[in-house]
Amino acid sequence: MKKSDLFLMALRNLKNRKTRTRLTVIGVIIGTCAIIIMVSIGVGIDKMVTEQYSSDSSLNKVTVYEGYAEEGGRDIPLDDKALEFLQSVEHVEMVVPIIDAGSYVTITRGKYSMQYAEIKGIDFDAMEKIGFKLTEGSFGASDKSSTVYFGKEVVTNFADAQGNSVKYKYDENYEITDCEIDPMKDIFFMSTPVYSQAEGTSSVANEKRIKVGGIIKNDYKIDYSSYAVYVDIETAKQLIRDYNKLNPSGEKAKLNYSNVWVYVDEMANVKDVQEKILQSGLGSYSDEEELEATKKIMKVVQLVLGAIGAVSMLVAAFGISNTMVMSVYERTKEIGIMKVIGCDINDIKAMFLYEAGIIGLMGGVIGIIISYIISVIANAVARGVVSSMDAMDEGFKVYVSSIPPWLALLGIGFSVLVGVLAGIAPANRSVRVSALTAIHNE
């Protein structure tokens, strides 16, 4: 018998038992929805986390720091030699060294001086290339040695000799207003602190006037720049040399880089680049590394949620099996006649498997459609709630549930598979029915 004939016969048999078929299909629908919705929650959270990382992080950036040796060993310095190595690593597009000069510089404006200074030396030419943007001012300073760039919160870090902070206010958008210091108009001075250990006093030397070239727009994908002052890296090196010269009795400041930002050509190559950096003895960190760790956790969550949903599908499988067993009992005469007229027992078995598979297919397709509807509604409600709380960044989407195409196809395939597996036992039972006994009993 042709497969198409068996398929049509299976459809006709299911149609003749509408009520039972509907109830069994409903069981499969519930099972499919349970699995899909449960897994989609894990997928949705994973998608939301990935988008959050993509918006708040630079996934092709590796931060390299000094390598710390084991006890008795020698630390791997982050110097020019290390910089040359990093530039030679395959897939590395750009290397941006950073020097922390905050301990060796004093910045003042009138009676105010900058407290808890976070002063970073960076190549000014690289700032715009790696994505730094300004809310005021412009890049391309003609005199790099006397130009600095302020983070938006830097002005709040100034205080007088008595510790009184500069006066300022924030507006409703958390923007600084009515500040005593106007970074784009006021005059600032940068100098080197000089400490006298014998007298326990401090003073400044090499005071020079500086200009604020611009205010840096906050972008945590690049750097935590709100309270940072950026100077040109060559200026930072000179400031450290001046500090060492003016404080000969103190501990010498190193000219090594505090860290290096390594930009990789593609996110897929970040892991390989990190492995080569670690092999050299240097330390490294990347947001992509943290994202991968988070994704591993989310895969476990998806498996757990899927297993919970699978319980409903297991119940549906028993329903399919029960329906098919009852069908065998009710159709013993039909089975006997089919055997008497010479129908192959494999065709009889296949007919019952087709029926079970069709039930699984119908339940799976309808279950997927309902799951999509539930997913859309859940996401819309969640976004509405989060938006009303002003907790969602502009352009960022909240995902309670996400059903990618692979999950939909997997759901349908799993439903059909469960249906067929549940129908194997009844199908085997059907071929064991004796033709003469079946006709005689009927």
Side-chain angles (χ1 to χ4, degrees):
M1 190 177 293
K2 294 180 180 180
K3 291 182 178 180
S4 57
D5 294 335
L6 288 172
F7 185 78
L8 292 173
M9 186 180 295
L11 281 175
R12 185 169 60 251
N13 290 334
L14 292 173
K15 188 176 180 180
N16 290 336
R17 296 165 178 81
K18 290 181 180 179
T19 301
R20 186 181 297 162
T21 300
R22 286 172 182 168
L23 291 173
T24 309
V25 168
I26 288 173
V28 179
I29 291 172
I30 294 172
T32 302
C33 286
I35 291 179
I36 296 300
I37 292 299
M38 285 294 187
V39 175
S40 74
I41 292 172
V43 174
I45 296 173
D46 180 75
K47 185 175 181 180
M48 186 166 60
V49 169
T50 301
E51 287 195 4
Q52 183 69 54
Y53 267 95
S54 299
S55 62
D56 291 345
S57 310
S58 181
L59 296 178
N60 69 327
K61 174 184 172 183
V62 179
T63 300
V64 181
Y65 47 87
E66 186 176 77
Y68 298 101
E70 296 179 1
E71 187 176 353
R74 187 177 179 182
D75 292 345
I76 308 298
L78 200 57
D79 51 16
D80 288 331
K81 184 179 179 181
L83 207 63
E84 289 178 9
F85 162 73
L86 293 172
Q87 290 170 333
S88 68
V89 176
E90 188 179 5
H91 301 300
V92 171
E93 283 191 331
M94 186 184 300
V95 173
V96 181
I98 305 295
I99 289 182
D100 183 2
S103 300
Y104 319 115
V105 185
T106 298
I107 295 178
T108 58
R109 178 271 192 193
K111 66 177 182 177
Y112 294 111
S113 61
M114 187 175 170
Q115 308 292 309
Y116 314 109
E118 186 180 359
I119 301 172
K120 298 181 179 183
I122 185 173
D123 183 358
F124 279 176
D125 294 332
M127 290 185 74
E128 197 168 9
K129 292 179 183 178
I130 62 178
F132 275 103
K133 290 182 173 57
L134 302 176
T135 57
E136 295 182 68
S138 62
F139 290 114
S142 56
D143 184 5
K144 295 180 181 179
S145 65
S146 61
T147 302
V148 300
Y149 292 92
F150 275 13
K152 63 175 289 187
E153 307 284 342
V154 166
V155 291
T156 66
N157 249 2
F158 281 83
D160 60 22
Q162 288 72 44
N164 300 311
S165 178
V166 64
K167 295 178 182 178
Y168 60 90
K169 294 180 181 179
Y170 286 106
D171 62 15
E172 63 276 6
N173 297 318
Y174 206 68
E175 296 294 333
I176 297 173
T177 60
D178 301 325
C179 184
E180 287 185 76
I181 296 178
D182 187 335
M184 298 304 295
K185 294 181 180 179
D186 291 354
I187 298 173
F188 295 85
F189 289 91
M190 184 165 61
S191 55
T192 305
V194 182
Y195 300 100
S196 174
Q197 292 185 350
E199 300 177 7
T201 59
S202 64
S203 58
V204 295
N206 294 343
E207 188 174 69
K208 65 181 293 187
R209 181 172 173 172
I210 57 173
K211 173 188 176 183
V212 178
I215 307 300
I216 294 172
K217 182 180 180 181
N218 278 355
D219 189 345
Y220 297 132
K221 290 174 66 175
I222 304 170
D223 192 22
Y224 293 92
S225 57
S226 292
Y227 295 95
V229 175
Y230 294 87
V231 301
D232 186 66
I233 194 162
E234 294 303 323
T235 302
K237 290 179 180 179
Q238 186 57 51
L239 290 168
I240 293 174
R241 292 190 193 101
D242 291 343
Y243 176 86
N244 287 335
K245 185 177 180 180
L246 292 167
N247 295 275
S249 60
E251 184 178 351
K252 296 296 181 182
K254 294 180 180 180
L255 279 170
N256 293 344
Y257 303 111
S258 306
N259 53 72
V260 177
W261 299 340
V262 175
Y263 289 86
V264 184
D265 54 5
E266 293 181 9
M267 192 178 75
N269 297 322
V270 168
K271 188 175 181 180
D272 290 338
V273 170
Q274 274 195 271
E275 286 180 356
K276 291 177 181 177
I277 292 172
L278 292 173
Q279 288 171 4
S280 73
L282 295 169
S284 70
Y285 165 83
S286 71
D287 290 315
E288 194 274 340
E289 182 180 19
E290 188 172 333
L291 176 59
E292 284 301 312
T294 304
K295 281 182 170 290
K296 288 180 182 178
I297 296 173
M298 293 314 305
K299 285 180 181 178
V300 174
V301 172
Q302 290 173 30
L303 287 173
V304 172
L305 292 174
I308 294 172
V311 173
S312 297
M313 184 59 82
L314 181 63
V315 174
F318 281 112
I320 295 173
S321 184
N322 180 65
T323 297
M324 301 312 299
V325 168
M326 293 302 296
S327 181
V328 171
Y329 279 122
E330 292 174 353
R331 292 154 62 187
T332 53
K333 182 178 179 180
E334 178 185 336
I335 294 170
I337 292 173
M338 291 176 69
K339 286 187 174 182
V340 169
I341 63 176
C343 186
D344 194 294
I345 59 173
N346 287 327
D347 289 338
I348 298 172
K349 184 177 179 180
M351 181 182 66
F352 282 94
L353 290 177
Y354 270 120
E355 290 180 22
I358 291 170
I359 290 173
L361 178 63
M362 292 171 63
V365 171
I366 298 172
I368 291 296
I369 294 171
I370 294 174
S371 296
Y372 268 113
I373 294 171
I374 294 173
S375 178
V376 170
I377 294 173
N379 287 333
V381 171
R383 288 168 190 165
V385 171
V386 175
S387 295
S388 65
M389 297 169 61
D390 294 326
M392 184 168 63
D393 296 333
E394 186 177 353
F396 177 68
K397 291 185 177 180
V398 173
Y399 293 97
V400 172
S401 167
S402 177
I403 306 176
W406 65 263
L407 180 56
L409 294 174
L410 184 64
I412 294 173
F414 186 67
S415 299
V416 173
L417 178 63
V418 168
V420 173
L421 291 176
I424 289 176
N428 288 333
R429 187 182 186 88
S430 69
V431 299
R432 291 197 298 268
V433 174
S434 169
L436 296 176
T437 302
I439 295 173
H440 179 267
N441 288 341
E442 291 293 334

